Amino acid sequence: MRDIESLCANCFEELSEGAVCANCGYDNDTAVDFTLLQPKSELLERYVVGAVASTESDSVTYSGYDKQLDKRILIREFYPKGMVSRLEGSSEIHVRQKYVDVIDKYKNEFFTLWTTLQKMHSLSAATPVYDVFEENATVYAIIEYMECIPLREYLLRNEEGYISWDTARLMFMPVLTTIEALHNNGIIHGTITPDNLVLCRDGKVRLKAFCIQDCSDITSDFEFVSSDGYTAIEQYENSHKICPATDIYAFTACIYRALVGTNPPAAPAREANDKLMIPNSIAETIPIHVIKAMGNGLQIYPEKRIRNISDFREFLDAAPAVKAQGSGVGSPAEDKPKYDYAKLAEPEKNVGTRIAIIVLSILIILAIAAGFYVVKYTDLLGNKETQPASTTVLKTYQVPNFANNGYTQSDVESNGAWNQQFKFTFNADYSKNVEEGIIFKQNIEPGETVSEGTEIVLTVSKGIQTVEIPDVGNLAIEEATATLEGLGFKVSTVEVYNDGSHTPHTVKALNGSAPAVGETVAVGEEIILQVYGEVQTTAAPETTTEKPQD
């Protein structure tokens, strides 16, 4: 068996030149946040945890090593961002109080997702999953490590930036079978993009970055990350529901990117202008049935979109039934049956036994602590005249990371252990990057050792500070710049033509700023001003008159 300590925590090749791996360049002395699993820790006494490979809304993925199979793997840990954390020195996750009632539901959904993927290993575009298990009060999935490049990178390496349908067809069509199997098992991928479709060394295109469905909905508890051009309208906050057609929209957008060379416009923008423009020179190279398929798959509203993979495959294959249909890009044939949304099977609700045990344990601990408190201080009060003088020794504690784990003021105030160790003061400030109510600053660095009772000042986010853009039209550039910078904006300028009717170096009166006058913009954003240049004149060419000859 290989000596784990001698292996790189990223690629798990032998370290031959100190801490920096000669094979992948990873520095094995890199400090890892204590809230994550530490390198070289083990799961089930079989899987070795390595460096952090990526993070998703519901999980963290680590590089890993399977001691039994002697091969590199990926380890996916259910670790929803902002909902859980870890206390230093502990492997078990700590659930924030706000999410105690829902965390088991999300954990069950994560377990169901990855056990379903494990059963689908025979599908060509499926993510190969070897094992799914519970440990450290969370769930892990063991995934095969495969060398691959994202579809986006593959397209960018192409000289034209796009590919022909003949090439794309071989890449995309096998993926449809996998998406169809997912839908039949009640799974919506929700984030199909050119970054999550990857070309593997074995020649197959696979889907990656699977998350539970709640991550694909802006209204859920999870961090929502949209991808302009690929995120369907129903994933934004509106009355439409996420359904299999959501994946069809995203997958069609990937085909559009591959064939046209640009991303489709973002779905919210298309509500105002629903035109998908394809340059004639490119459109001429795409079969008409594929253009019709893209038009159907990229319908803005899901009820007008192709709603199952079988129909979409027919369009892309130009099956006889489709060829016989009338023209009209983006309009499903009227003789096709209307399909109701597939109702996704809800995951089994976990019996509340685990929660009850946790609550009971906490109550017992609090009762013991309360008894100790009463005995100790009753004894001191009742016998203070007979107690011998003693020397008090202050305890010391390491300061936790309050600012990077999504804690709120309520989370800290309700944590009895922290409040016995430290004294907390809270203030509030605006933050461009942290949502309102979340702690994002602390006056003492995490990991620093301090005496019991030390005051820790925590800053809670007030959200993004916004200001309405004032009208600086006709002002001199110096005055306009001073006005905007005084409000906290950055200012840049572009010179525009002056026909002589404007004062040079003044801001254009109408539409002279971007963003426009009256728009509410985050403080710190850049404001671009259009400024009149010097008056441009054209000198008349010199003329000469020849003297008539005698």
Side-chain angles (χ1 to χ4, degrees):
M1 184 176 292
R2 302 170 72 187
D3 178 13
I4 300 302
E5 294 303 320
S6 67
L7 303 181
C8 170
N10 184 55
C11 67
F12 286 90
E13 295 295 326
E14 293 286 342
L15 289 172
S16 58
E17 300 178 6
V20 178
C21 179
N23 181 59
C24 69
Y26 178 74
D27 185 351
N28 284 264
D29 286 338
T30 302
V32 176
D33 190 332
F34 71 83
T35 62
L36 302 177
L37 292 178
Q38 297 302 296
K40 306 300 174 68
S41 57
E42 295 189 9
L43 301 170
L44 298 184
E45 299 183 351
R46 171 178 175 178
Y47 304 115
V48 181
V49 177
V52 174
S54 65
T55 58
E56 304 292 344
S57 298
D58 66 352
S59 57
V60 176
T61 301
Y62 305 87
S63 294
Y65 173 70
D66 186 337
K67 294 194 299 182
Q68 182 173 314
L69 298 180
D70 186 24
K71 63 185 297 184
R72 184 177 178 182
I73 55 173
L74 293 175
I75 301 173
R76 188 73 163 249
E77 177 184 48
F78 176 67
Y79 195 91
K81 191 179 297 184
M83 297 188 197
V84 302
S85 183
R86 278 189 174 88
L87 300 179
E88 189 167 7
S90 173
S91 295
E92 290 200 359
I93 64 168
H94 165 73
V95 181
R96 290 177 53 199
Q97 186 64 37
K98 178 180 178 181
Y99 301 103
V100 166
D101 294 336
V102 296
I103 200 69
D104 278 346
K105 170 183 176 293
Y106 294 142
K107 187 163 63 174
N108 287 341
E109 290 179 2
F110 185 89
F111 185 87
T112 299
L113 168 65
W114 288 97
T115 51
T116 302
L117 290 172
Q118 186 179 11
K119 297 171 185 175
M120 296 170 57
H121 60 85
S122 61
L123 295 172
S124 64
T127 301
V129 180
Y130 294 141
D131 198 3
V132 184
F133 57 91
E134 293 192 49
E135 192 171 335
N136 298 330
T138 188
V139 177
Y140 296 91
I142 305 300
I143 307 166
E144 180 178 349
Y145 171 78
M146 305 187 75
E147 292 187 20
C148 58
I149 63 169
L151 172 65
R152 189 185 302 278
E153 184 178 338
Y154 169 81
L155 295 172
L156 291 174
R157 290 182 183 181
N158 190 287
E159 186 175 351
E160 288 83 13
Y162 58 89
I163 56 178
S164 68
W165 170 242
D166 287 340
T167 301
R169 187 180 186 281
L170 296 174
M171 296 168 57
F172 286 110
M173 295 304 286
V175 182
L176 288 175
T177 302
T178 298
I179 297 176
E180 186 173 31
L182 288 172
H183 292 174
N184 290 339
N185 282 275
I187 295 174
I188 307 297
H189 187 286
T191 55
I192 300 175
T193 70
D195 298 303
N196 294 333
L197 281 170
V198 295
L199 282 69
C200 300
R201 185 176 287 276
D202 61 4
K204 296 178 180 179
V205 176
R206 286 184 168 85
L207 266 172
K208 56 174 284 191
F210 285 89
C211 294
I212 63 176
Q213 185 176 324
D214 299 83
C215 300
S216 304
D217 186 345
I218 197 172
T219 63
S220 76
D221 292 320
F222 290 85
E223 179 184 56
F224 174 74
V225 181
S226 64
S227 181
D228 286 350
Y230 303 92
T231 301
I233 195 71
E234 57 266 27
Q235 294 175 264
Y236 297 92
E237 191 169 3
N238 57 72
S239 59
H240 303 282
K241 301 297 183 183
I242 294 175
C243 60
T246 304
D247 282 343
I248 292 176
Y249 184 95
F251 190 72
T252 308
C254 291
I255 296 176
Y256 180 98
R257 168 64 184 88
L259 300 182
V260 180
T262 59
N263 297 330
R270 292 183 58 214
E271 283 193 293
N273 181 14
D274 185 22
K275 288 186 178 180
L276 286 173
M277 305 301 294
I278 302 178
N280 287 336
S281 59
I282 296 177
E284 290 172 356
T285 68
I286 305 174
I288 186 63
H289 68 273
V290 176
I291 292 179
K292 288 183 178 181
M294 289 194 294
N296 278 296
L298 286 174
Q299 285 287 314
I300 295 178
Y301 301 114
E303 56 268 24
K304 295 183 178 181
R305 207 179 300 150
I306 299 176
R307 279 172 276 175
N308 65 64
I309 294 297
S310 178
D311 285 354
F312 187 54
R313 185 186 288 109
E314 283 189 7
F315 271 92
L316 288 176
D317 275 338
V322 176
K323 290 180 180 177
Q325 291 172 6
S327 60
V329 175
S331 301
E334 293 184 0
D335 58 347
K336 300 282 287 183
K338 296 183 183 289
Y339 293 90
D340 294 327
Y341 291 115
K343 185 174 167 118
L344 300 180
E346 294 190 3
E348 291 183 0
K349 295 186 178 179
N350 193 20
V351 181
T353 305
R354 187 177 300 133
I355 295 178
I357 293 174
I358 294 173
V359 171
L360 181 59
S361 300
I362 293 173
L363 290 174
I364 292 173
I365 292 171
L366 290 175
I368 294 172
F372 173 80
Y373 180 91
V374 171
V375 170
K376 177 179 178 182
Y377 288 94
T378 302
D379 184 65
L380 285 174
L381 292 172
N383 300 284
K384 60 183 179 180
E385 293 182 355
T386 61
Q387 290 291 324
S390 61
T391 302
T392 301
V393 178
L394 288 178
K395 297 179 181 179
T396 59
Y397 299 95
Q398 276 196 333
V399 176
N401 190 341
F402 298 104
N404 294 304
N405 289 310
Y407 292 123
T408 64
Q409 180 172 341
S410 175
D411 290 335
V412 175
E413 289 178 334
S414 62
N415 189 302
W418 286 342
N419 282 273
Q420 287 183 9
Q421 296 166 3
F422 313 104
K423 176 184 176 183
F424 293 103
T425 300
F426 298 89
N427 56 34
D429 199 2
Y430 291 105
S431 172
K432 183 178 179 180
N433 302 313
V434 181
E435 66 181 279
E436 184 177 358
I438 302 298
I439 296 168
F440 70 105
K441 287 183 185 177
Q442 59 190 81
N443 67 323
I444 301 178
E445 290 296 318
E448 187 172 334
T449 300
V450 299
S451 300
E452 184 177 24
T454 296
E455 181 181 29
I456 297 178
V457 181
L458 302 177
T459 304
V460 181
S461 173
K462 293 166 64 175
I464 299 175
Q465 182 180 12
T466 58
V467 175
E468 187 176 291
I469 303 295
D471 187 355
V472 294
N474 289 326
L475 294 182
I477 183 57
E478 293 80 8
E479 183 179 357
T481 299
T483 299
L484 293 170
E485 289 182 343
L487 294 173
F489 297 114
K490 300 174 184 176
V491 179
S492 63
T493 62
V494 293
E495 186 173 295
V496 295
Y497 174 74
N498 187 351
D499 62 3
S501 61
H502 305 283
T503 304
H505 312 300
T506 60
V507 178
K508 186 179 175 183
L510 295 177
N511 302 319
S513 69
V517 173
E519 286 191 29
T520 300
V521 180
V523 169
E525 293 293 310
E526 181 181 35
I527 309 298
I528 302 174
L529 299 178
Q530 299 185 64
V531 180
Y532 290 115
E534 295 288 346
V535 177
Q536 298 181 10
T537 58
T538 303
E542 293 183 3
T543 59
T544 58
T545 304
E546 290 186 6
K547 182 179 179 181
Q549 295 181 355
D550 294 335

